[in-house]
Amino acid sequence: MVKLAKRMSRLGTETAFEVLVRAKALEARGRDIVHLEIGEPDFDTPAAIVDAGCEALRDGWTHYGPAAGIPELRQAIVEYLNGARGTNYSPNQVVVTPGGKPIMFFAMLALLEAGDEAIYPDPGFPIYRSMIDFVGATAVPIPLREAHEFRLDVEELARLITPRTKLLIVNSPANPTGGVLERSDVAAIATLAVEHDLTVLTDEIYGKILYEGEHVSLAAMPRMAERTILLDGFSKTYAMTGWRLGYGAMPTALAEQIAKLMVNSVSCTSMAVQRAGLVALTGSQDEARGMVEAFRRRRDLIVDGLNAILGISCLRPKGAFYVFPNISSLGTSSKAFADRLLDDHGVAALSGTAFGDHGEGYLRLSYANSEANLVKALERIEAAATS
Ligand SMILES: Cc1ncc(COP(=O)(O)O)c(C=O)c1O
């Protein structure tokens, strides 16, 4: 019998993938399901990017390459970040990875050990907590509250910092709430991080999926570049989830260590995929912008629709492509309601608790779906809420 290492019992998961499997099984039995569970654009990757990937394969980009990424792409990433986020990176500070997710995994492996505390958002992307637990550090949730528009409350953060706090994880625009930090929040977080000598993982993967206001990068705040890992990627902005392409920007010494973790795990990111990423970053941004405009219309449709349902209320998120409606007055747990939505009404949604204990009372719906499907889902959610 296989005997697992103890650490495996500490590894969490992402419920979205489990709900997807359950929803697909129901579909295989002939049920009609609206998929609002998985966080990916429903659009295809823009054609110019697909062409660049195919061309790269034909041109012989079929070999191993540098662990940290091809120089052309690292350069393009630096130009993009320095232009859009106001940072001052150089290419040796960038590590290209198969998706943004490995940056979380690698950063925590490289930084945390038993006894260290890591503060993470709750509700937040479940892999943060999973990885903190996995590497044996202590996970300290910072609650994100609806009353505060799901923005991190800096005073509350200050109270959670101890001499053992090593890492702070921040995600704006946020999954699962769509909350966006304001410039004053970001400045205050940076001040705390400098004062307490914290390392910060700033997950900015939804940085370009913004409907109002501005995206302010923690990495651009004074004295933050030396203590920040900026995570970003191509999955969401360019509808490239299945390609697996992301990156981190960080201090050079840490980038060297993360590149070593790349050598030890996957060797390098697919070369053809990196060539496609280069075209994504340097080519026309019209399609990416068009997707954001479509998301904005869908956001308004789903927020207005949810607020018209008795017992449900929903903030209008400023970024990402999720809504996090409050269902606490329906008199059922979030998990029970999400299960009933799928089993009896054909809507795959996630319980807010899939993102931490502070998600109780909420659902997470991804509105990266057609307007027709969203209308269908709203009718079904209303039926479930009133039955
Ligand atoms: C907040 C957040 N960060 C990172 C990721 C990882 O994306 P990928 O690994 O596809 O780049 C996701 C994907 O859902 C996400 O929601």
Side-chain angles (χ1 to χ4, degrees), residues 69-89:
I70 55 175
E72 306 88 307
L73 183 58
R74 292 168 89 194
Q75 177 66 36
I77 288 168
V78 159
E79 282 167 23
Y80 163 66
L81 289 178
N82 292 351
R85 309 274 161 94
T87 50
N88 190 24
Y89 287 120

Side-chain angles (χ1 to χ4, degrees), residues 99-101 104 125 128 171 175 203 205-206 235-236 244:
K101 233 180 196 175
M104 296 169 200
F125 191 54
Y128 306 143
N171 172 218
N175 178 8
D203 182 342
I205 200 143
Y206 297 101
S235 288
K236 318 287 176 176
R244 311 309 301 132

